[in-house]
Amino acid sequence: MSEGAAKKEERHKFQAIRGTRDLLPPETALWNHVEKTANEVFATFGFGAIRVPIFEPTELFARSIGLDTDVVSKEMYTFEDYEATELVELRTAAVTNVASLATGEALIDFLDRVGNFILAAEKAFEAGRIPRTPENERTLQMARELIAILQTFRYQGEREILPRVAELKDAVRQVRFGDVISLRPEATASVCRAYIEHGMRQLPQPVKLYYIGPMFRRERPQKGRYRQFYQIGAEVLGGSDAPAIDAEVIEMVMTFFDRLELHGVQLDINSIGCRECRPKYAQLLRAELLRVKDKLGPDSQRRIQTNPLRVLDSKLESEQGTIATLPRITDHLCEACATHYSAVKRQLEMRGVFFRENWRLVRGLDYYMRTTFEITAQGLGSQNAVCGGGRYDGLVELLGGPPTKGIGFAIGEDRLILSLQESGKAPAQPGRDVYIAWMGERAHATAIRAAKDLRKAGFSVELPPVEQKFGKALGQADKLGAKHALILWR
Ligand code: ATP
Ligand code: MG
């Protein structure tokens, strides 16, 4: 390879992983502005910041978000977290086959290696260094039995041996070394976990928390949809489910968007009922959907059984006419939910928050009940939802905590930024206030002191590290957009 070609190859070696991206200046100035505004606005509503881990047991998300959701069934980044590195090596040695197993020795050698692994795994199991689960116990037992059987197969042909070897390798691969964990696809479950874990029920209720940070979902990347994206979210936990709480949370997001001067903001609200009335409505909806099944696409047809409310979410042009004829949940709420919903609407009106009722608004995550809302903004194409939220009164209990009311939202920060940029809101990268051009040793010393004083007073200062001719220095000052130049010599 020529040197040029080698260099080129090197240059192309590393790229950000598909669906992830680098955020760079000057754009990051806008991100900082947005996050600073969130900190300020949320503080005025009495919210405190919480930072939860980036990863949690997969089970936490599976249980809260729901197994039938896209997020849990196919979008999470999941891996096994373990410390048993010596087992990993033994397992790799056991299942990587070099020689063919046609000869008796090769089989014995293979069984030796697998035997070594199983022995070590059993020890680790006894000592609790790998999970002491019934599955692990069964798998180890099965591997033992297969080894015993194969030991008597020494003089058999490959046709008898190979299927058993494959079974044994499978068993070996199935031994679990540690907990299964996932990168967080959202943070509500984590915040609820933290609420329980830290006994926040003892604090004055409700507890009002907000977070800002990255989330991870393996989705098809496109404009406004990434595999690592950022959310700004808030949760109100405990206390009552007074409609004023729902309204105030929504008022807070709208105030935040207002402060950012986000364009084309549209708030949609709905009530999706509770454990009492939603199943009844779902049943009614399912029956109706079955009647019009032939007019629906395959995705919606599948959802009739798994999650009929999600059919209402369909964006397929060909289904819109049919969906418009379906029964509406607002007509089938129980009395308590209906009362709650109208009170939320009244409370929003009292706060001067404009909304549109959207009976088709259902959320993709299982834990929502009653109030749900979504906010869209302009300039985003089909990924135009910048915020989704709702009430989730059963969630804390589902995660092993006491019965607790809850409501929250999550803003897609990437989309929020996109929309702000589309409407020309991007603040220009702030230029330097002062560029200090200096020549000579003594001038350099003075320049260093001047830079220190100016920075202390809050000015942005550029101090060139090496001496430059003034012509060059002033050209540099100009390129950096410096407002003032301080010229020091001698
Ligand atoms: P969508 O319908 O757009 O897929 P969602 O219902 O999956 O959104 P939520 O889980 O409620 O979204 O998350 C709240 C917000 O987070 C969304 O309104 C959106 O702004 C943002 N968001 C969700 N997934 C992504 C993603 N992959 N990339 C960027 N932003 C996202
Ligand atoms: Mg989604």
Side-chain angles (χ1 to χ4, degrees), residues 59-80:
E59 181 64 23
L60 175 70
F61 303 118
R63 215 191 296 173
S64 55
I65 300 170
L67 290 171
D68 283 337
T69 57
D70 286 351
V71 171
V72 169
S73 64
K74 53 186 190 221
E75 293 174 0
M76 284 206 291
Y77 286 93
T78 297
F79 52 98
E80 210 177 312

Side-chain angles (χ1 to χ4, degrees), residues 148-164:
I149 294 172
L150 276 164
Q151 268 159 354
T152 69
F153 272 30
R154 207 171 161 171
Y155 301 108
Q156 307 252 9
E158 273 201 335
R159 214 146 48 99
E160 285 77 35
I161 292 175
L162 286 182
R164 287 301 167 94

Side-chain angles (χ1 to χ4, degrees), residues 297-315:
D299 273 349
S300 291
Q301 287 191 359
R302 197 165 25 81
R303 290 191 171 129
I304 296 178
Q305 289 314 325
T306 57
N307 203 342
L309 267 74
R310 288 290 285 179
V311 176
L312 305 179
D313 220 12
S314 159
K315 309 253 161 19

Side-chain angles (χ1 to χ4, degrees), residues 432-436 447 450-452 454-455 459-463:
R432 308 292 190 282
D433 294 313
V434 184
Y435 189 99
I436 307 184
K452 192 183 286 261
L454 285 165
R455 284 172 177 149
F459 294 104
S460 159
V461 178
E462 192 66 29
L463 176 63

Side-chain angles (χ1 to χ4, degrees), residues 195 200-201 203-207 236-242 245 391 393 403-406:
Y195 177 85
M200 289 191 226
R201 195 158 69 119
L203 303 173
Q205 303 292 300
V207 173
V236 180
L237 289 160
S240 79
D241 59 359
I245 294 181
R391 180 163 280 290
D393 291 345
T404 305
K405 308 290 182 193

Side-chain angles (χ1 to χ4, degrees), residues 271-451:
S271 173
I272 56 169
C274 63
R275 260 174 288 190
E276 291 300 312
C277 52
R278 185 154 41 147
K280 286 186 202 149
Y281 169 71
Q283 207 174 356
L284 179 76
L285 185 63
R286 188 175 281 136
E288 274 311 301
L289 285 169
L290 284 172
R291 279 195 334 110
V292 296
K293 189 172 178 204
D294 298 339
K295 297 185 193 153
L296 301 172
D299 273 349
S300 291
Q301 287 191 359
R302 197 165 25 81
R303 290 191 171 129
I304 296 178
Q305 289 314 325
T306 57
N307 203 342
L309 267 74
R310 288 290 285 179
V311 176
L312 305 179
D313 220 12
S314 159
K315 309 253 161 19
L316 261 188
E317 203 47 55
S318 60
E319 296 180 340
Q320 302 306 309
T322 313
I323 292 174
T325 67
L326 294 169
R328 308 184 166 206
I329 189 157
T330 18
D331 300 330
H332 299 274
L333 294 174
C334 63
E335 213 181 307
C337 285
T339 308
H340 190 269
Y341 186 40
S342 33
V344 170
K345 288 184 280 186
R346 205 170 46 246
Q347 283 285 334
L348 285 171
E349 279 157 11
M350 284 165 66
R351 291 167 162 77
V353 175
F354 294 103
F355 58 87
R356 176 172 74 185
E357 285 186 74
N358 178 358
W359 68 278
R360 286 178 53 178
L361 179 69
V362 292
R363 310 277 322 130
L365 317 180
D366 270 3
Y367 51 61
Y368 287 113
M369 61 173 286
R370 286 195 172 166
T371 312
T372 53
F373 57 98
E374 187 168 271
I375 302 169
T376 51
Q378 75 179 30
L380 295 171
S382 53
Q383 270 66 248
N384 63 349
V386 285
C387 174
R391 180 163 280 290
Y392 49 81
D393 291 345
L395 182 55
V396 170
E397 204 176 349
L398 186 71
L399 297 177
T404 305
K405 308 290 182 193
I407 182 166
F409 63 80
I411 295 165
E413 192 177 2
D414 308 69
R415 292 186 197 174
L416 174 57
I417 301 271
L418 268 174
S419 180
L420 291 172
Q421 286 169 331
E422 294 281 327
S423 60
K425 275 281 147 17
Q429 163 82 339
R432 308 292 190 282
D433 294 313
V434 184
Y435 189 99
I436 307 184
W438 58 270
M439 284 188 83
E441 275 310 302
R442 280 195 24 228
H444 194 190
T446 313
I448 290 170
R449 279 199 309 275

